[in-house]
Amino acid sequence: MELLKNLPEMDLMRSEKMTFVQLIIPVESAHRAVSYLGELGLLQFRDVLNVFMELNDDKSPFQRTFVNQVKRCAEMSRKLRFFKDQIHKAGLQSSALPTLQPDVDLEALETQLAEHEHELNEMNANSEKLQQTYNELLEFKIVLQKAGVFLVSGKSYDTAEGTELDDNVYPSDYPESASLLEQATQSGPPNSSGLRFISGIIPKSKILLFERMLFRATRGNLLFNQAPADELIMDPVSSEMVEKTVFVVFFSGEQAKTKILKICEAFGANCYPVPEDLTKQTQITQEVLSRLSELETTLDVGIRHRNAALHSIGFHLTLWMNMVKREKAVFDTLNMLNFDVTKKCLVGEGWCPIFAKPQIQEALQRATFDSNSQVGIIFHVMDAVESPPTYFRTNAFTNAYQEIVDAYGVAKYQEANPAVYTVITFPFLFAVMFGDWGHGICLLIGALILIAREGKLSSQKLGSFMEMLFGGRYVLLLMSLFSIYCGLIYNEFFSVPYHIFGDSAYKCRDDSCSDAYTVGLIKYRDAYPFGVDPSWRGSRSELPFLNSLKMKMSILFGVAQMNLGIMLSYFNSIFFNNSLDIRYQFVPQMIFLNSLFGYLSLLIIIKWCTGSQADLYHVMIYMFLSPFDDLGENELFWGQRPLQILLLLSALVAVPWMLFPKPFILRKLHTERFQGRAYGILRSSEIDTDSDPGSPRQHEDEFNFSEVFVHQMIHSIEFVLGSVSNTASYLRLWALSLAHSELSTVFYEKVLLLAWGYNNILIRMVGLAVFAFATAFILLMMETLSAFLHALRLHWVEFQNKFYGGDGYKFKPFSFAAIADDED
Amino acid sequence: MGFVLTTLIFAAIGIIASLCARICCNKGPSANLFHLTLVITATVCCWLMWAIVYLAQMNPLIVPILSEGE
């Protein structure tokens, strides 16, 4: 015990010591002080105003002091997001300038951002207008080109030659079609008979419907020519390139014209006037072409100008975004502080670790100096009513394990941290379920790759699955190392046993090996020195032997881990000076668990050592059913019967021992403590009037005996029944290792060996590929996840419910680094 | 090789591993104690695994019966 008391403290075992502090900051140094504290990242501010909600009912969240600044920061970050979007749309790479720019003032930044936004918006609007004009001109050019062809040939329309061109004269669906052909043959030169035309361009997808509409509207009295445009044209609405078709509609009559124009508008077809005269056509075409080339150059210049502006913004973008994020965080934190009566200082409260106090004081002094304030910042320790947050200082290795433990529940302040043991027992129990040194080597390679590329992968943005895998790289490393060890013990390399540690301990009874298939081999030497004897693999009695071995192994590991859990509860009780718990919880729990399941473990070991034929199921069952009967063939050692009776009695005594005394003694202690009730009021006046008045202290005055008794009863019943169910739960170690071994055997024998039996190289390759895929996906991925999950469950439930409270809250300091991580 | 002998070998490996941990990463008393805890836990777990499998094979109740087609 002396040695235990003189051991140094282990930081990871219990939370860092935290203290509650109060800060009184003069207004001029407030912003700077909070920024420096944010860089340090070791103080968790408590929202003072929420505490005051009952007292200051008039202060709503919208009336916080720095609300305007927060709004301005939000506006600035909106502008920055807009810039980022624009840069992304323009397809530019945003490269940040590596040089450290001096901190730009927030107001100057605001005006700069507003200017940039205005500039960008103008440029975008201008280029949009130009683009629209460009599109129209482009369409006009295409219409001129294609429609010109129709009009030229239309002049020589005397016969039904028109059918040679790709115009659409409808088949006899429409009774009017006959008349159309007649009209075309009968009519003279188009100009003279009042035949007019409309030319335009329409998206290709709508042209069929458009044609039918026109046909119906004009009752067939039209000639419709169309030709596809050669170029793709940008659609302004969807900003995609669409295929368009040029059309020319020949019609006669004023009503037809209005109808056609309306239909054109409805279908979104753009109509452009094409002159009939050939010379005029060429003239206009020339004009359009020259204007097009002008516009192209103008557009190019515009785009280059905008890209230059975006490029210059892009240099500073990350820096500005970080700045704005930090400022917003600082103002949010400042909102958590409260102005005091004189309106000259801000008062704030928070938690910080004791070891961080000098660093915080130094940061505050720097802030005072840098802001040229006359008054220093007051920083002093206060008493707190509520429980402190829990803080563990972890490194990259222990962080993953701490997160595994925290996922179930964050440790209460200063209770024992199961992560200390989980670092080893979690990968170990995984390996017991995974045991195969071939698969272990594959996992090891994967883990080493992740660790070797640590630097590169940690700066990249990874997908959620890769991120989890990367975060758990050290867990994976230990899991693979233990898997290799357990694989050597189970003697399985992709389910194949090897004689690594010497010859097998079994051989045939005689040289002919005649009864090896009936009676079996014989053991002629000492047991195989390390692991399972390779002779077992493939034999008919393999499963009975391995099942018995693994089941008993699971029970032994289970009882060992549960005892460790109860021991941790003992150390917790010692730390919190809770002798009541030691005497009336720890001792009966140990007695109960060990007199039943500890005794079972002892029987297992004795049976193995003596080679007795006793049936342990019967031993345990008859220990309860008929403890006074003679044991007969189930006797493993001398004095077994009286020992069993003794253990049974101890277990029976232990149950009321853990159930009854504690509530009664708690009630007695409570009445003793609060005998002088009148003095209670005097004690409460020592409390700082600012802190939360009354509610925890009020609870102390009440002692609800029935509540305490029911709580203790639930706890005891949970332990007693749980001891049976938890011990049985550890049998999953056997179950999963059996499943893994069987799957591995099946893939090896039924896939690889089967394929290898053929002489064909193709079948062998296919077999090898199927074996590789099955091993990688089913055994390496699915089984890993499965064993991981079950090992996790064993830790969270069976191990931790013996001692872990897990109802604390995590220490979340105000830190710029954490904000950067969060947003990403 | 005998149960006791191999147990002593495991203990020796454990002691060597903790000495190595102390030499390689000596980062203050708290971290040293933590490393020692890890090494001891790992040694105990590995030894337990080996011991269980060894004890189970010391006096077996059944023997391997080869199956047909071997």
Side-chain angles (χ1 to χ4, degrees):
Chain A
M1 279 318 279
E2 280 299 312
L3 183 65
L4 284 181
K5 287 210 180 81
N6 292 339
L7 277 177
E9 267 182 31
M10 196 189 327
D11 280 343
L12 197 59
M13 186 67 166
R14 296 183 193 279
S15 162
E16 298 283 332
K17 294 209 188 43
M18 312 290 282
T19 173
F20 193 61
V21 295
Q22 192 181 51
L23 292 161
I24 304 182
I25 316 177
V27 176
E28 59 265 16
S29 44
H31 182 99
R32 211 175 278 273
V34 175
S35 314
Y36 289 172
L37 285 177
E39 280 169 27
L40 190 61
L42 280 173
L43 184 70
Q44 175 179 348
F45 282 96
R46 202 170 71 150
D47 202 350
V48 174
L49 288 176
N50 267 329
V51 174
F52 276 104
M53 271 310 178
E54 303 102 53
L55 307 177
N56 302 350
D57 280 325
D58 49 352
K59 267 242 175 108
S60 76
F62 296 104
Q63 287 175 326
R64 304 256 182 144
T65 331
F66 295 94
V67 130
N68 282 331
Q69 279 85 342
V70 174
K71 270 198 242 173
R72 281 161 67 186
C73 286
E75 182 62 22
M76 277 199 274
S77 61
R78 183 198 61 84
K79 290 198 182 97
L80 286 170
R81 276 197 302 271
F82 171 66
F83 294 150
K84 192 161 177 192
D85 226 9
Q86 289 288 311
I87 293 181
H88 186 71
K89 265 207 275 192
L92 294 176
Q93 292 290 79
S94 59
S95 57
L97 268 184
T99 62
L100 222 67
Q101 300 258 318
D103 273 334
V104 186
D105 182 27
L106 203 64
E107 267 127 35
L109 183 62
E110 221 177 337
T111 40
Q112 224 180 350
L113 287 181
E115 267 175 40
H116 281 299
E117 191 188 15
H118 186 67
E119 205 184 324
L120 257 183
N121 278 338
E122 252 186 64
M123 279 196 274
N124 278 345
N126 283 345
S127 65
E128 245 182 73
K129 270 190 269 178
L130 280 177
Q131 185 74 27
Q132 221 177 345
T133 326
Y134 179 77
N135 273 347
E136 281 175 11
L137 278 179
L138 192 63
E139 287 180 353
F140 194 17
K141 174 189 95 170
I142 295 175
V143 168
L144 277 174
Q145 281 174 354
K146 299 285 171 169
V149 173
F150 297 147
L151 294 173
V152 162
S153 59
K155 284 193 193 258
S156 58
Y157 244 154
D158 277 322
T159 59
E161 271 176 349
T163 50
E164 287 172 32
L165 300 168
D166 49 327
D167 55 65
N168 259 347
V169 182
Y170 268 93
S172 50
D173 280 349
Y174 294 81
E176 293 90 33
S177 60
S179 59
L180 178 66
L181 265 176
E182 284 168 28
Q183 271 188 8
T185 49
Q186 285 165 14
S187 63
N191 300 339
S192 56
S193 62
L195 195 68
R196 285 176 291 169
F197 67 92
I198 288 184
S199 53
I201 190 165
I202 188 173
K204 188 165 157 194
S205 50
K206 298 190 197 168
I207 187 127
L208 280 174
L209 210 56
F210 181 60
E211 222 184 314
R212 272 178 220 237
M213 274 302 280
L214 283 177
F215 224 78
R216 281 197 207 122
T218 55
R219 295 203 196 95
N221 290 338
L222 78 129
L223 186 64
F224 189 86
N225 287 347
Q226 62 168 332
D230 295 326
E231 308 170 24
L232 293 175
I233 300 186
M234 166 94 74
D235 179 21
V237 176
S238 64
S239 57
E240 284 177 351
M241 304 297 263
V242 292
E243 282 187 14
K244 293 209 177 181
T245 314
V246 178
F247 66 88
V248 177
V249 182
F250 291 95
F251 60 93
S252 65
E254 206 41 56
Q255 278 183 334
K257 179 173 174 187
T258 39
K259 276 191 219 166
I260 292 176
L261 280 177
K262 273 201 206 139
I263 294 175
C264 282
E265 214 180 294
F267 273 80
N270 299 330
C271 297
Y272 298 100
V274 174
E276 288 180 34
D277 196 18
L278 193 58
T279 45
K280 270 205 226 146
Q281 272 182 21
T282 41
Q283 198 186 13
I284 292 194
T285 316
Q286 296 275 13
E287 265 182 47
V288 169
L289 281 175
S290 66
R291 273 194 69 193
L292 264 181
S293 56
E294 261 179 48
L295 266 182
E296 263 179 40
T297 41
T298 319
L299 267 176
D300 261 344
V301 167
I303 288 183
R304 261 186 283 132
H305 188 56
R306 186 195 64 169
N307 283 358
L310 283 176
H311 203 64
S312 76
I313 294 178
F315 275 145
H316 306 288
L317 196 63
T318 13
L319 178 70
W320 286 344
M321 285 185 104
N322 278 341
M323 260 201 72
V324 171
K325 261 189 257 179
R326 284 162 68 136
E327 289 299 314
K328 180 159 186 298
V330 167
F331 283 119
D332 277 332
T333 312
L334 281 174
N335 271 338
M336 285 204 254
L337 311 177
N338 198 23
F339 268 111
D340 80 330
V341 190
T342 62
K343 291 274 179 204
K344 286 208 202 115
C345 316
L346 287 165
V347 176
E349 298 173 343
W351 294 100
C352 78
I354 290 189
F355 73 82
K357 267 176 42 185
Q359 297 176 37
I360 295 181
Q361 269 165 339
E362 189 259 341
L364 292 175
Q365 272 171 11
R366 247 192 316 135
T368 312
F369 182 70
D370 283 345
S371 58
N372 299 324
S373 162
Q374 309 293 351
V375 190
I377 301 178
I378 300 179
F379 172 75
H380 70 117
V381 170
M382 267 181 29
D383 276 336
V385 175
E386 61 193 21
S387 171
T390 311
Y391 181 45
F392 291 112
R393 270 196 287 186
T394 55
N395 54 23
F397 178 70
T398 51
N399 194 32
Y401 293 101
Q402 192 60 50
E403 278 186 17
I404 288 178
V405 171
D406 284 345
Y408 181 73
V410 180
K412 208 165 52 182
Y413 180 61
Q414 296 236 296
E415 72 167 343
N417 183 13
V420 169
Y421 295 100
T422 303
V423 171
I424 295 290
T425 57
F426 175 75
F428 181 72
L429 287 186
F430 170 87
V432 170
M433 294 190 264
F434 195 74
D436 183 316
W437 58 283
H439 299 149
I441 290 179
C442 298
L443 278 187
L444 182 67
I445 292 175
L448 286 176
I449 290 179
L450 281 176
I451 294 179
R453 304 170 81 198
E454 211 170 38
K456 196 166 83 94
L457 284 172
S458 62
S459 54
Q460 267 177 11
K461 179 132 178 63
L462 308 163
S464 64
F465 180 67
M466 262 311 278
E467 205 173 311
M468 270 198 291
L469 206 60
F470 179 68
R473 59 195 182 282
Y474 289 108
V475 185
L476 201 62
L477 177 71
L478 281 194
M479 274 158 45
S480 57
L481 289 175
F482 277 116
S483 296
I484 295 178
Y485 178 78
C486 280
L488 288 171
I489 296 246
Y490 289 154
N491 215 340
E492 288 189 17
F493 177 79
F494 292 102
S495 88
V496 177
Y498 283 104
H499 292 71
I500 302 178
F501 296 98
D503 286 337
S504 163
Y506 293 93
K507 71 169 171 52
C508 292
R509 283 167 206 269
D510 52 30
D511 284 332
S512 65
C513 272
S514 52
D515 46 6
Y517 297 89
T518 48
V519 194
L521 306 175
I522 190 170
K523 180 167 179 285
Y524 73 103
R525 287 162 34 141
D526 271 344
Y528 195 70
F530 189 87
V532 173
D533 200 300
S535 302
W536 285 105
R537 163 71 51 190
S539 64
R540 273 193 299 172
S541 49
E542 175 193 6
L543 275 183
F545 173 71
L546 281 182
N547 283 349
S548 158
L549 166 68
K550 288 185 182 173
M551 279 205 234
K552 293 182 175 145
M553 170 189 77
S554 312
I555 300 286
L556 289 171
F557 279 132
V559 172
Q561 195 174 34
M562 288 196 284
N563 270 318
L564 177 65
I566 303 183
M567 287 306 294
L568 280 177
S569 84
Y570 170 70
F571 286 117
N572 266 344
S573 312
I574 296 253
F575 182 82
F576 291 115
N577 282 327
N578 196 345
S579 63
L580 198 67
D581 263 356
I582 299 178
R583 270 182 256 141
Y584 300 104
Q585 204 156 295
F586 167 69
V587 173
Q589 280 182 351
M590 278 299 256
I591 290 179
F592 185 81
L593 187 69
N594 285 323
S595 63
L596 294 180
F597 298 101
Y599 178 61
L600 175 62
S601 315
L602 185 69
L603 287 180
I604 291 175
I605 296 178
I606 293 179
K607 179 172 176 183
W608 276 342
C609 289
T610 60
S612 146
Q613 301 249 1
D615 188 342
L616 292 181
Y617 286 122
H618 281 129
V619 171
M620 288 303 290
I621 292 174
Y622 289 127
M623 178 171 146
F624 283 89
L625 288 183
S626 38
F628 296 103
D629 281 356
D630 190 27
L631 288 167
E633 66 197 8
N634 283 337
E635 178 135 9
L636 281 160
F637 54 90
W638 178 85
Q640 186 174 347
R641 195 160 60 103
L643 179 66
Q644 284 185 186
I645 297 173
L646 180 66
L647 290 175
L648 192 61
L649 281 176
S650 323
L652 283 175
V653 163
V655 175
W657 187 353
M658 66 173 95
L659 176 57
F660 288 110
K662 192 168 157 193
F664 289 102
I665 294 183
L666 277 176
R667 185 172 71 167
K668 194 167 77 124
L669 283 176
H670 178 83
T671 47
E672 276 173 20
R673 197 187 301 154
F674 286 93
Q675 241 167 13
R677 273 291 197 99
Y679 298 125
I681 305 169
L682 190 66
R683 281 175 58 242
S684 64
S685 69
E686 293 167 7
I687 307 170
D688 195 344
T689 44
D690 280 351
S691 72
D692 190 14
S695 37
R697 285 177 199 265
Q698 277 169 8
H699 283 161
E700 279 183 32
D701 288 347
E702 304 166 14
F703 181 81
N704 201 343
F705 178 74
S706 55
E707 205 180 295
V708 173
F709 188 76
V710 167
H711 176 84
Q712 190 63 25
M713 190 163 74
I714 292 176
H715 193 82
S716 309
I717 291 181
E718 205 183 319
F719 183 80
V720 168
L721 293 181
S723 67
V724 178
S725 94
N726 291 349
T727 310
S729 184
Y730 276 94
L731 286 173
R732 70 187 68 222
L733 294 174
W734 156 61
L736 262 91
S737 101
L738 177 69
H740 188 96
S741 164
E742 288 298 310
L743 272 176
S744 187
T745 307
V746 160
F747 289 140
Y748 179 72
E749 284 179 7
K750 302 287 182 246
V751 175
L752 198 63
L753 284 188
L754 194 67
W756 219 261
Y758 293 90
N759 261 327
N760 192 345
I761 186 96
L762 189 64
I763 297 186
R764 284 190 179 182
M765 285 295 120
V766 167
L768 194 62
V770 172
F771 175 72
F773 269 105
T775 301
F777 283 105
I778 297 182
L779 285 174
L780 286 180
M781 269 197 228
M782 187 192 87
E783 275 288 310
T784 304
L785 281 174
S786 173
F788 183 96
L789 180 80
H790 284 283
L792 199 62
R793 179 254 156 71
L794 281 178
H795 276 79
W796 279 355
V797 179
E798 274 78 24
F799 176 51
Q800 284 181 352
N801 73 3
K802 303 283 178 294
F803 68 97
Y804 195 52
D807 48 3
Y809 62 106
K810 216 167 163 173
F811 176 62
K812 281 202 184 64
F814 171 60
S815 153
F816 289 144
I819 293 171
D821 283 341
D822 265 348
E823 297 256 343
D824 284 340
Chain B
M1 267 206 301
F3 185 77
V4 180
L5 184 62
T6 320
T7 304
L8 288 175
I9 293 179
F10 266 96
I13 294 178
I15 294 176
I16 294 175
S18 25
L19 284 174
C20 282
R22 176 63 62 98
I23 293 172
C24 295
C25 1
N26 195 346
K27 290 199 186 88
S30 151
N32 282 343
L33 186 61
F34 179 57
H35 297 150
L36 187 67
T37 306
L38 292 185
V39 169
I40 290 180
T41 315
T43 310
V44 168
C45 285
C46 293
W47 171 79
L48 203 57
M49 183 83 191
W50 168 82
I52 288 171
V53 172
Y54 187 82
L55 286 176
Q57 294 185 106
M58 265 185 3
N59 300 306
L61 296 172
I62 53 177
V63 286
I65 303 175
L66 300 181
S67 61
E68 310 292 319
E70 280 285 317

